[in-house]
Amino acid sequence: GRTILFVDGNHENFTRLYNDSTISSFHGGKVHKIRDSVLHLIRGEIFDIEGKKFFAFGGAKSHDIQDGILNLDEEERIYEYRKRGAYFRIRDFSWWDLELPTKEEMQNGINNLEKVNYKVDYIISHCCPTSIQTILGSGIYKKDYLTDYFQNIMEKCEFKKWYFGHYHDYRQVNDKYVLLYGDIIPIEFKSIFE
């Protein structure tokens, strides 16, 4: 069978993702094992798969929370917000603080990149560096500390391609940055017969 590897987005149930799965090793990096064939790539880990290095880092700031984050016990406000079509989420029900990384996760990424002298083949993330986000949204998306973190990595790191999602579109931004949405992109691995 196939093994599915994924980075987290911003609407995951992080309580379950982080607490209901065991941490295992996989191709040189750490993963949350959801099932034997479903593995969450832990933020900031590097995976060596068939001779290619993949830096994985999930998470992103939600774009649909302009009207706020409510608590589950605020039933009247939730009803009122829903009635007027507000852009809001409910803490620990449809929104989690861990949509954005902790300082420890960010430091883990830097430590792992330093170990490989900031050289990987692929970067897999959910959102993207600030400058790429600006190109995508023509200024409609606001930068945050994760897009700035990726900007810093972008400026220091040597890599072939950076694949990301989050912006609900498919777009080859330039020769290195690819925004995916419902698309499957094959990655060229050297043939074992060569």
Side-chain angles (χ1 to χ4, degrees):
R2 293 195 170 156
T3 300
I4 295 169
L5 312 173
F6 72 97
V7 295
D8 51 280
N10 50 303
H11 294 316
E12 316 298 345
N13 181 334
F14 288 101
T15 307
R16 292 194 62 196
L17 187 61
Y18 278 58
N19 299 331
D20 294 355
S21 51
T22 56
I23 293 178
S24 304
S25 290
F26 178 81
H27 288 265
K30 292 188 189 110
V31 295
H32 286 119
K33 189 174 179 182
I34 311 300
R35 291 196 175 92
D36 287 342
S37 61
V38 181
L39 306 174
H40 167 241
L41 305 177
I42 289 178
R43 294 172 177 175
E45 293 292 302
I46 294 175
F47 302 89
D48 201 326
I49 301 170
E50 295 192 30
K52 304 283 185 196
K53 284 188 175 19
F54 292 81
F55 176 72
F57 207 107
K61 186 169 178 54
S62 292
H63 296 143
D64 56 358
I65 55 172
Q66 298 91 313
D67 296 314
I69 308 293
L70 301 182
N71 293 315
L72 206 47
D73 62 1
E74 296 179 88
E75 290 168 28
E76 283 180 31
R77 280 182 79 194
I78 291 169
Y79 176 75
E80 174 204 321
Y81 275 44
R82 282 196 174 130
K83 206 168 145 183
R84 66 179 169 94
Y87 288 98
F88 75 103
R89 292 273 172 170
I90 302 166
R91 178 174 265 107
D92 297 330
F93 178 76
S94 60
W95 184 88
W96 284 261
D97 292 289
L98 272 168
E99 69 172 25
L100 284 169
T102 64
K103 285 179 182 163
E104 291 77 17
E105 288 172 326
M106 292 166 77
Q107 191 56 53
N108 181 52
I110 298 302
N111 293 347
N112 286 325
L113 285 168
E114 283 174 352
K115 286 178 196 169
V116 296
N117 296 315
Y118 281 89
K119 285 182 188 171
V120 295
D121 294 288
Y122 299 98
I123 297 177
I124 312 291
S125 63
H126 190 56
C127 71
C128 64
T130 302
S131 62
I132 301 301
Q133 181 176 260
T134 301
I135 293 168
L136 287 172
S138 305
I140 63 165
Y141 301 119
K142 303 286 175 250
K143 71 180 192 154
D144 56 64
Y145 71 81
L146 180 55
T147 65
D148 283 348
Y149 173 77
F150 286 149
Q151 185 69 28
N152 181 44
I153 288 171
M154 166 192 183
E155 290 165 9
K156 281 184 172 180
C157 201
E158 201 179 300
F159 59 93
K160 291 182 183 121
K161 294 271 186 202
W162 189 319
Y163 295 103
F164 59 98
H166 190 48
Y167 306 92
H168 294 221
D169 198 2
Y170 173 82
R171 189 161 159 197
Q172 176 88 38
V173 181
N174 58 33
D175 64 332
K176 281 191 152 186
Y177 297 88
V178 183
L179 165 59
L180 297 174
Y181 185 61
D183 298 273
I184 296 172
I185 302 293
I187 290 177
E188 301 262 335
F189 289 103
K190 194 173 181 184
S191 166
I192 56 169
F193 301 109
E194 284 176 21

